[in-house]
Amino acid sequence: DTGVSQNPRHKITKRGQNVTFRCDPISEHNRLYWYRQTLGQGPEFLTYFQNEAQLEKSRLLSDRFSAERPKGSFSTLEIQRTEQGDSAMYLCASSLAQSRTTNEKLFFGSGTQLSVL
Amino acid sequence: AQSVSQHNHHVILSEAASLELGCNYSYGGTVNLFWYVQYPGQHLQLLLKYFSGDPLVKGIKGFEAEFIKSKFSFNLRKPSVQWSDTAEYFCAVNKESSSASKIIFGSGTRLSIRP
């Protein structure tokens, strides 16, 4: 499978613990997005990268959330001191973006379902 | 800030009925518009996109969408739905730009087709 890969598929943790998710994008894709989705809602933008540079982080995100893409390939999303409200599906998507935003197409992974008890 | 509104949360249709799902966005500049679909148990995938030219765009599986700039709308249509169209549909937008621009999604419309 050469699509976007996310690990783990499911994560159950206790409140207050730290969790880290990994996303492996399609190999030639230069742009990588993280979204969060809860039941009945659309993907909520968290952050995105162009190669290794983090371009924007949602103002809705607290300082407990951090994302990295150290070599411009895979990315990790860490949540520190998890809260029950962090329970959601965390989606990763990648794209091969040209210099302009025109015609950008996202390829999504299956997501990581986080449950905070 | 840009945003996307999908007012129909759940639509239920019988097979062969016509479909129109509403999407409105708020952004005054030039935009790129998308519809993504998520079939049960599958990834989100692109259905169709508009970035310039003919405001009526055609996508996969007989879907089309019309960009009406004056109404800030990009409604999705299909003349005759099938049971296999049961899925969740998301409208999305980003700003047309010479650099990067994040893609923002609406809250989605769940489509249920009665066989």
Side-chain angles (χ1 to χ4, degrees):
Chain A
D1 188 341
T2 56
V4 177
S5 176
Q6 290 188 247
N7 288 289
R9 291 294 299 271
H10 304 274
K11 180 70 177 178
I12 300 173
T13 191
K14 291 183 180 177
R15 191 175 50 187
Q17 297 294 303
N18 299 344
V19 294
T20 300
F21 311 139
R22 177 177 170 128
C23 172
D24 287 89
I26 293 172
S27 58
E28 66 269 24
H29 283 185
N30 55 353
R31 199 167 285 166
L32 186 149
Y33 291 76
W34 285 100
Y35 289 90
R36 176 172 63 190
Q37 187 176 22
T38 53
L39 205 60
Q41 297 297 314
E44 176 192 11
F45 171 79
L46 296 181
T47 188
Y48 74 136
F49 294 84
Q50 174 106 346
N51 300 311
E52 66 275 10
Q54 188 172 20
L55 298 183
E56 187 173 341
K57 182 177 173 181
S58 170
R59 283 175 234 158
L60 299 174
L61 278 192
S62 74
D63 291 341
R64 297 184 297 106
F65 287 73
S66 63
E68 292 183 343
R69 194 183 183 200
K71 296 181 181 178
S73 56
F74 73 91
S75 176
T76 57
L77 177 68
E78 181 183 16
I79 309 174
Q80 296 181 325
R81 304 182 303 282
T82 52
E83 300 173 357
Q84 287 183 324
D86 297 332
S87 295
M89 176 73 81
Y90 289 82
L91 295 170
C92 177
S94 70
S95 69
L96 180 61
Q98 314 283 329
S99 57
R100 301 194 69 84
T101 59
T102 299
N103 218 12
E104 185 172 1
K105 175 180 176 179
L106 294 181
F107 292 80
F108 280 86
S110 300
T112 294
Q113 181 67 52
L114 174 66
S115 299
V116 181
L117 306 178
Chain B
Q2 65 204 75
S3 66
V4 181
S5 298
Q6 293 182 248
H7 302 294
N8 310 108
H9 297 294
H10 188 194
V11 172
I12 303 173
L13 296 172
S14 297
E15 276 195 311
S18 65
L19 169 73
E20 181 160 4
L21 301 182
C23 171
N24 289 88
Y25 66 93
S26 65
Y27 178 67
T30 303
V31 295
N32 302 310
L33 295 154
F34 311 85
W35 277 96
Y36 280 80
V37 60
Q38 189 168 26
Y39 296 103
Q42 295 188 26
H43 306 178
L44 274 156
Q45 57 186 286
L46 183 68
L47 195 58
L48 52 77
K49 60 184 185 290
Y50 169 82
F51 52 95
S52 67
D54 189 345
L56 184 63
V57 293
K58 296 189 184 297
I60 59 172
K61 303 186 181 185
F63 285 90
E64 63 180 32
E66 185 176 13
F67 170 49
I68 302 179
K69 190 174 180 180
S70 61
K71 294 185 178 179
F72 296 88
S73 71
F74 189 56
N75 291 356
L76 182 70
R77 299 195 294 246
K78 185 171 183 178
S80 175
V81 294
Q82 301 171 309
W83 178 80
S84 58
D85 294 325
T86 295
E88 191 135 21
Y89 293 81
F90 297 94
C91 185
V93 64
N94 74 344
K95 293 184 289 186
E96 167 55 25
S97 171
S98 59
S99 61
S101 171
K102 65 190 180 212
I103 296 176
I104 301 296
F105 286 81
S107 57
T109 298
R110 183 156 64 100
L111 176 64
S112 300
I113 305 297
R114 290 189 291 249

